[in-house]
Amino acid sequence: MTRFQLKIMGVLALLVLVVVGTTSLLAERGLRARTTENIQTGLEHEARLLALSVDPEAFDRKGDRPGLQRLVEAASKETGARFTLIDAGGRVIADSGVAGDAVATLPNHADRPEVIAAMKEGRGSRIRHSDTVKRSLVYVAIRVPEDPVEPLEGIVRVAVRSDRIDAAIGQLRRVLLTAVIVGFAMALGLSYLLSVFSLRPIIELRDVVRELAEGRLGRRLRWTSKDERGEIAASINRMARQIRDAADEATREKERLEAVLSSMVEGVIAVDEAGRIVLANPRAREMLSIWGRFSGRTLPEVIRFPEIDEAFRSVASEGIVVREIEVSAEKKRILLMHASGFPKHGPRAGTVAVFHDVTELRRVDAIRRDFVANASHELRTPLTAILGFAETLGHAADGEEDLSKHLDIIVRNAQRMSSLIDDLLTLSRIESGLSSLEIRAVDPARLVETIVGDFAPRFEQAGIGLHVHLAKTSPCLADHRAVEQILSNLLSNAARYSNPGSRVDVSLEEIEGFIEVSVEDTGIGIPSQDLERIFERFYRVDAARSRALGSTGLGLSIVKHLVNAMGGSVRVESEVGRGSRFVFRLPVDRSGVDPSGD
Ligand code: ADP
């Protein structure tokens, strides 16, 4: 039996108890009133009968008292009631309840309530305790004569034991009790049947919903009726189908994701907010030597490389983290790691990192750098020889016009090649970290002034005005040879791409903890679409023109590398036909060392 069934039965039983209980109470009260009334009416009749047998004057005649006593005793014997005759003064003249000679000793009855009522209204009745017979009695007293207008002669009083009423009520109680027991049993039985019928669908519904909740999504309700039950069944079945479809879709999605992740050449690791691994594809496991169970464990528990854990942690403060990490699991590897939080929007659920194996890429890079350096180095010696001999021959061929023209061409090209090789060597040294910079505190104003001073004759020759504006600044951290090279490249470009009559301004100022040096010309300018690319190697806006001007396309790329290596940056603003402004910045020296000794 279910708890719900028990509840229904309990409620019904309680209802029956209340109804039967109330009914019994009301019935008992009604019955008591009716029984009392019946008894009282009977007693009244008996009193009247007796009053008829008593001569009205007998109440006064003292001599007839024994006769009266016998009369009441005879009446009592016949009816079982107690009869009392009382005179107009309240004195008892006969009483079947006491012996004849004791009547005279009875107290005056004028104060008895039923007697008082009878004297006044012709009739009185009470249920009360009798001091004379010592028990509860029902009294009925009538006046003789009955009409209160006529002079009172006496009172006839009849009494019976009040337990007659109780006996009648007791009988009724037994009947009621039987009714209660039978009703109660029937209520229990009926409520059980009712609950079985009304609960069956609910129990079935509970079982189906429970199975669905436990993941057995194939279970369905088979109610087909057109009423509410049918509607519930249709809704639940539809919901079950939708849950199964969603679960199937989620499984398919998971399988697709797993297929993609396991066929990726990149390693992928995702951790939740608490730092526990939720996903690591086969490639990541192979790259980082993760063996055995990893799901739910933290990174330091399964990965031996603390830099990776550190990078994951940095995502919280840096957002997107890109690191190149050297790991030596089975073999030495260089991994490029991109880590960021997910999802992209909303509260963060965790961090995901993608690992690219860039070992091969870096190796090829190193080979290329070595090759450029070696090739440049090897080319330099024969080229110097060619240049030297061509120049010597040029001097010797003075007068022979054709020959000296040809030799001139050889010399110019050899010079171009030589400067190309110089630039290439410089770049490859910077890239490979071979040319170590000596970064010290330098006085930027003095340095700029010296370099610009060296260039003054060249600008004068080209007819370009050179102006210098030096603000007083703090010392900056730089390698003075690198600054020389940067400024030389920028000044050469300014001279190269300006027309005679234009001007070049070099200025120096301190901004936001950096020393900014700008070289501004009023030359040909650079088209905006090329601005982003001019710092790339060999990139030239107008290759033919640049080449004719003896440029290599490497100058700005050397500038960028050197500035970056010193912890600074470079930018350009330009407009075609109006000129260009190159600005590079270097960090201010905060150690407070006096740079005057430099
Ligand atoms: P190059 O040795 O050819 O000057 P750079 O790397 O120094 O090589 O410059 C790349 C290209 O940028 C140049 O070919 C030129 O087109 C453009 N450029 C550089 N500086 C200026 C400038 N001050 N005015 C106009 N164009 C410039």
Side-chain angles (χ1 to χ4, degrees), residues 278-311:
V278 288
L279 181 153
N281 73 342
R283 181 75 173 128
R285 280 179 264 158
E286 181 253 324
M287 276 176 176
L288 301 168
S289 305
I290 303 174
W291 313 122
R293 198 177 69 80
F294 58 85
S295 191
R297 295 168 77 183
T298 61
L299 286 170
E301 283 174 333
V302 292
I303 297 178
R304 284 182 293 125
F305 313 109
E307 305 97 303
I308 291 180
D309 184 41
E310 190 272 324

Short mmCIF file of all heavy atoms in Angstrom, two decimals, residues 278-311:
data_model
loop_
_atom_site.label_atom_id
_atom_site.label_comp_id
_atom_site.label_asym_id
_atom_site.label_seq_id
_atom_site.Cartn_x
_atom_site.Cartn_y
_atom_site.Cartn_z
N VAL A 278 39.69 18.39 -18.11
CA VAL A 278 38.42 17.83 -18.58
C VAL A 278 38.59 17.20 -19.95
O VAL A 278 37.75 16.41 -20.38
CB VAL A 278 37.30 18.90 -18.62
CG1 VAL A 278 36.86 19.28 -17.23
CG2 VAL A 278 37.71 20.15 -19.38
N LEU A 279 39.67 17.54 -20.62
CA LEU A 279 39.85 17.03 -21.98
C LEU A 279 41.34 17.10 -22.35
O LEU A 279 42.02 18.07 -22.01
CB LEU A 279 39.03 17.92 -22.90
CG LEU A 279 38.94 17.68 -24.39
CD1 LEU A 279 37.63 18.24 -24.86
CD2 LEU A 279 40.07 18.29 -25.17
N ALA A 280 41.84 16.05 -23.00
CA ALA A 280 43.20 16.08 -23.54
C ALA A 280 43.20 15.14 -24.73
O ALA A 280 42.95 13.94 -24.57
CB ALA A 280 44.20 15.62 -22.49
N ASN A 281 43.36 15.67 -25.93
CA ASN A 281 43.26 14.80 -27.10
C ASN A 281 44.51 13.93 -27.23
O ASN A 281 45.55 14.20 -26.60
CB ASN A 281 42.94 15.63 -28.36
CG ASN A 281 44.12 16.42 -28.84
OD1 ASN A 281 45.07 16.63 -28.10
ND2 ASN A 281 44.08 16.88 -30.08
N PRO A 282 44.46 12.86 -28.06
CA PRO A 282 45.59 11.93 -28.13
C PRO A 282 46.91 12.63 -28.47
O PRO A 282 47.96 12.29 -27.92
CB PRO A 282 45.18 10.99 -29.27
CG PRO A 282 43.70 11.07 -29.33
CD PRO A 282 43.33 12.44 -28.90
N ARG A 283 46.84 13.65 -29.35
CA ARG A 283 48.07 14.34 -29.75
C ARG A 283 48.70 15.06 -28.55
O ARG A 283 49.92 15.01 -28.36
CB ARG A 283 47.71 15.34 -30.86
CG ARG A 283 48.88 16.10 -31.39
CD ARG A 283 49.73 15.26 -32.32
NE ARG A 283 50.74 16.10 -32.93
CZ ARG A 283 52.04 15.83 -32.93
NH1 ARG A 283 52.48 14.72 -32.37
NH2 ARG A 283 52.88 16.64 -33.50
N ALA A 284 47.86 15.71 -27.72
CA ALA A 284 48.39 16.40 -26.54
C ALA A 284 49.01 15.40 -25.59
O ALA A 284 50.07 15.65 -25.00
CB ALA A 284 47.27 17.17 -25.85
N ARG A 285 48.34 14.23 -25.46
CA ARG A 285 48.87 13.23 -24.53
C ARG A 285 50.23 12.72 -25.01
O ARG A 285 51.14 12.52 -24.21
CB ARG A 285 47.88 12.06 -24.43
CG ARG A 285 46.72 12.40 -23.50
CD ARG A 285 45.74 11.28 -23.42
NE ARG A 285 44.64 11.50 -24.35
CZ ARG A 285 43.86 10.55 -24.81
NH1 ARG A 285 44.06 9.31 -24.47
NH2 ARG A 285 42.88 10.82 -25.63
N GLU A 286 50.35 12.58 -26.33
CA GLU A 286 51.62 12.09 -26.88
C GLU A 286 52.71 13.16 -26.74
O GLU A 286 53.83 12.89 -26.29
CB GLU A 286 51.38 11.70 -28.35
CG GLU A 286 52.58 11.16 -29.08
CD GLU A 286 53.10 12.18 -30.06
OE1 GLU A 286 52.30 12.92 -30.69
OE2 GLU A 286 54.32 12.26 -30.19
N MET A 287 52.36 14.43 -27.05
CA MET A 287 53.34 15.52 -26.99
C MET A 287 53.89 15.72 -25.58
O MET A 287 55.06 15.99 -25.39
CB MET A 287 52.65 16.85 -27.37
CG MET A 287 52.55 17.13 -28.83
SD MET A 287 51.61 18.68 -28.98
CE MET A 287 51.70 18.93 -30.73
N LEU A 288 52.98 15.59 -24.58
CA LEU A 288 53.37 15.94 -23.21
C LEU A 288 53.53 14.70 -22.32
O LEU A 288 53.61 14.81 -21.10
CB LEU A 288 52.34 16.89 -22.61
CG LEU A 288 52.16 18.19 -23.39
CD1 LEU A 288 50.93 18.94 -22.93
CD2 LEU A 288 53.38 19.07 -23.24
N SER A 289 53.58 13.52 -22.99
CA SER A 289 53.77 12.25 -22.26
C SER A 289 52.79 12.09 -21.10
O SER A 289 53.18 11.92 -19.95
CB SER A 289 55.18 12.15 -21.70
OG SER A 289 56.09 12.32 -22.71
N ILE A 290 51.49 12.22 -21.41
CA ILE A 290 50.49 12.00 -20.37
C ILE A 290 50.03 10.55 -20.50
O ILE A 290 49.39 10.18 -21.48
CB ILE A 290 49.27 12.94 -20.57
CG1 ILE A 290 49.73 14.38 -20.57
CG2 ILE A 290 48.23 12.70 -19.49
CD1 ILE A 290 48.64 15.38 -20.89
N TRP A 291 50.39 9.74 -19.53
CA TRP A 291 49.98 8.33 -19.58
C TRP A 291 48.98 8.07 -18.47
O TRP A 291 49.01 8.71 -17.43
CB TRP A 291 51.19 7.39 -19.43
CG TRP A 291 52.36 7.74 -20.29
CD1 TRP A 291 53.63 8.02 -19.87
CD2 TRP A 291 52.38 7.89 -21.72
NE1 TRP A 291 54.43 8.34 -20.92
CE2 TRP A 291 53.69 8.25 -22.07
CE3 TRP A 291 51.43 7.76 -22.72
CZ2 TRP A 291 54.07 8.50 -23.38
CZ3 TRP A 291 51.82 7.99 -24.04
CH2 TRP A 291 53.12 8.34 -24.36
N GLY A 292 48.11 7.10 -18.69
CA GLY A 292 47.14 6.72 -17.64
C GLY A 292 46.00 7.71 -17.53
O GLY A 292 45.76 8.51 -18.43
N ARG A 293 45.32 7.61 -16.37
CA ARG A 293 44.12 8.41 -16.20
C ARG A 293 44.49 9.88 -16.00
O ARG A 293 45.41 10.20 -15.26
CB ARG A 293 43.35 7.91 -14.98
CG ARG A 293 41.91 8.35 -14.93
CD ARG A 293 41.24 7.73 -13.70
NE ARG A 293 41.77 8.31 -12.48
CZ ARG A 293 41.37 9.49 -11.99
NH1 ARG A 293 40.44 10.19 -12.61
NH2 ARG A 293 41.89 9.97 -10.88
N PHE A 294 43.82 10.76 -16.71
CA PHE A 294 44.12 12.19 -16.57
C PHE A 294 42.88 12.99 -16.20
O PHE A 294 42.95 14.02 -15.56
CB PHE A 294 44.73 12.75 -17.85
CG PHE A 294 43.84 12.59 -19.06
CD1 PHE A 294 42.86 13.53 -19.32
CD2 PHE A 294 43.95 11.49 -19.89
CE1 PHE A 294 42.01 13.37 -20.41
CE2 PHE A 294 43.10 11.34 -20.97
CZ PHE A 294 42.14 12.28 -21.23
N SER A 295 41.70 12.46 -16.61
CA SER A 295 40.46 13.21 -16.41
C SER A 295 40.22 13.47 -14.92
O SER A 295 40.29 12.56 -14.10
CB SER A 295 39.31 12.40 -17.00
OG SER A 295 38.18 13.19 -17.04
N GLY A 296 39.95 14.74 -14.58
CA GLY A 296 39.65 15.08 -13.19
C GLY A 296 40.89 15.36 -12.35
O GLY A 296 40.79 15.75 -11.20
N ARG A 297 42.10 15.12 -12.93
CA ARG A 297 43.32 15.40 -12.16
C ARG A 297 43.88 16.77 -12.57
O ARG A 297 43.53 17.32 -13.60
CB ARG A 297 44.34 14.29 -12.41
CG ARG A 297 43.80 12.97 -11.85
CD ARG A 297 44.58 11.81 -12.31
NE ARG A 297 45.84 11.68 -11.57
CZ ARG A 297 46.74 10.75 -11.84
NH1 ARG A 297 46.52 9.88 -12.81
NH2 ARG A 297 47.85 10.69 -11.15
N THR A 298 44.75 17.32 -11.72
CA THR A 298 45.28 18.65 -12.04
C THR A 298 46.50 18.53 -12.95
O THR A 298 47.09 17.45 -13.07
CB THR A 298 45.69 19.38 -10.75
OG1 THR A 298 46.71 18.61 -10.13
CG2 THR A 298 44.52 19.54 -9.79
N LEU A 299 46.87 19.65 -13.58
CA LEU A 299 47.99 19.63 -14.52
C LEU A 299 49.30 19.16 -13.88
O LEU A 299 49.97 18.28 -14.43
CB LEU A 299 48.17 21.03 -15.13
CG LEU A 299 47.10 21.40 -16.17
CD1 LEU A 299 47.22 22.88 -16.51
CD2 LEU A 299 47.24 20.57 -17.42
N PRO A 300 49.68 19.71 -12.69
CA PRO A 300 50.96 19.26 -12.12
C PRO A 300 50.97 17.76 -11.80
O PRO A 300 52.03 17.16 -11.74
CB PRO A 300 51.07 20.07 -10.82
CG PRO A 300 50.16 21.21 -11.00
CD PRO A 300 49.07 20.77 -11.90
N GLU A 301 49.78 17.16 -11.64
CA GLU A 301 49.75 15.73 -11.33
C GLU A 301 50.10 14.87 -12.55
O GLU A 301 50.57 13.76 -12.40
CB GLU A 301 48.35 15.32 -10.85
CG GLU A 301 48.07 15.73 -9.42
CD GLU A 301 46.63 15.45 -9.00
OE1 GLU A 301 45.74 15.44 -9.89
OE2 GLU A 301 46.38 15.28 -7.82
N VAL A 302 49.83 15.38 -13.75
CA VAL A 302 50.03 14.54 -14.93
C VAL A 302 51.07 15.10 -15.91
O VAL A 302 51.53 14.38 -16.79
CB VAL A 302 48.70 14.30 -15.69
CG1 VAL A 302 47.76 13.46 -14.88
CG2 VAL A 302 48.05 15.60 -16.08
N ILE A 303 51.44 16.37 -15.79
CA ILE A 303 52.41 16.95 -16.74
C ILE A 303 53.66 17.38 -15.99
O ILE A 303 53.56 18.05 -14.96
CB ILE A 303 51.78 18.15 -17.49
CG1 ILE A 303 50.59 17.67 -18.31
CG2 ILE A 303 52.80 18.81 -18.40
CD1 ILE A 303 49.87 18.76 -19.04
N ARG A 304 54.82 16.99 -16.55
CA ARG A 304 56.07 17.25 -15.83
C ARG A 304 56.63 18.64 -16.10
O ARG A 304 57.72 18.97 -15.65
CB ARG A 304 57.11 16.20 -16.24
CG ARG A 304 56.87 14.86 -15.59
CD ARG A 304 57.94 13.88 -16.00
NE ARG A 304 57.85 13.56 -17.43
CZ ARG A 304 58.84 13.69 -18.30
NH1 ARG A 304 60.00 14.15 -17.90
NH2 ARG A 304 58.67 13.36 -19.56
N PHE A 305 55.95 19.46 -16.93
CA PHE A 305 56.55 20.73 -17.30
C PHE A 305 55.83 21.89 -16.61
O PHE A 305 54.73 22.26 -17.01
CB PHE A 305 56.50 20.90 -18.82
CG PHE A 305 56.96 19.65 -19.53
CD1 PHE A 305 56.05 18.86 -20.20
CD2 PHE A 305 58.28 19.26 -19.46
CE1 PHE A 305 56.45 17.68 -20.81
CE2 PHE A 305 58.69 18.09 -20.07
CZ PHE A 305 57.77 17.29 -20.75
N PRO A 306 56.46 22.45 -15.59
CA PRO A 306 55.79 23.49 -14.80
C PRO A 306 55.42 24.73 -15.61
O PRO A 306 54.47 25.43 -15.28
CB PRO A 306 56.82 23.84 -13.71
CG PRO A 306 58.06 23.09 -14.01
CD PRO A 306 57.80 22.12 -15.08
N GLU A 307 56.16 25.00 -16.72
CA GLU A 307 55.86 26.20 -17.53
C GLU A 307 54.44 26.12 -18.08
O GLU A 307 53.76 27.14 -18.24
CB GLU A 307 56.80 26.34 -18.73
CG GLU A 307 58.26 26.34 -18.40
CD GLU A 307 58.86 24.96 -18.59
OE1 GLU A 307 58.35 24.01 -17.94
OE2 GLU A 307 59.81 24.82 -19.36
N ILE A 308 53.98 24.89 -18.36
CA ILE A 308 52.64 24.74 -18.95
C ILE A 308 51.57 25.10 -17.92
O ILE A 308 50.65 25.87 -18.19
CB ILE A 308 52.45 23.30 -19.48
CG1 ILE A 308 53.36 23.13 -20.69
CG2 ILE A 308 50.99 23.03 -19.83
CD1 ILE A 308 53.32 21.81 -21.34
N ASP A 309 51.76 24.60 -16.70
CA ASP A 309 50.81 24.93 -15.63
C ASP A 309 50.82 26.44 -15.39
O ASP A 309 49.76 27.07 -15.25
CB ASP A 309 51.22 24.18 -14.35
CG ASP A 309 50.22 24.40 -13.24
OD1 ASP A 309 49.01 24.40 -13.55
OD2 ASP A 309 50.64 24.61 -12.09
N GLU A 310 52.02 27.01 -15.42
CA GLU A 310 52.17 28.45 -15.18
C GLU A 310 51.43 29.24 -16.27
O GLU A 310 50.72 30.21 -16.00
CB GLU A 310 53.67 28.77 -15.15
CG GLU A 310 54.03 30.16 -14.69
CD GLU A 310 54.03 31.14 -15.85
OE1 GLU A 310 54.44 30.75 -16.98
OE2 GLU A 310 53.58 32.27 -15.64
N ALA A 311 51.56 28.76 -17.54
CA ALA A 311 50.90 29.46 -18.65
C ALA A 311 49.38 29.39 -18.49
O ALA A 311 48.67 30.37 -18.71
CB ALA A 311 51.32 28.83 -19.97
#
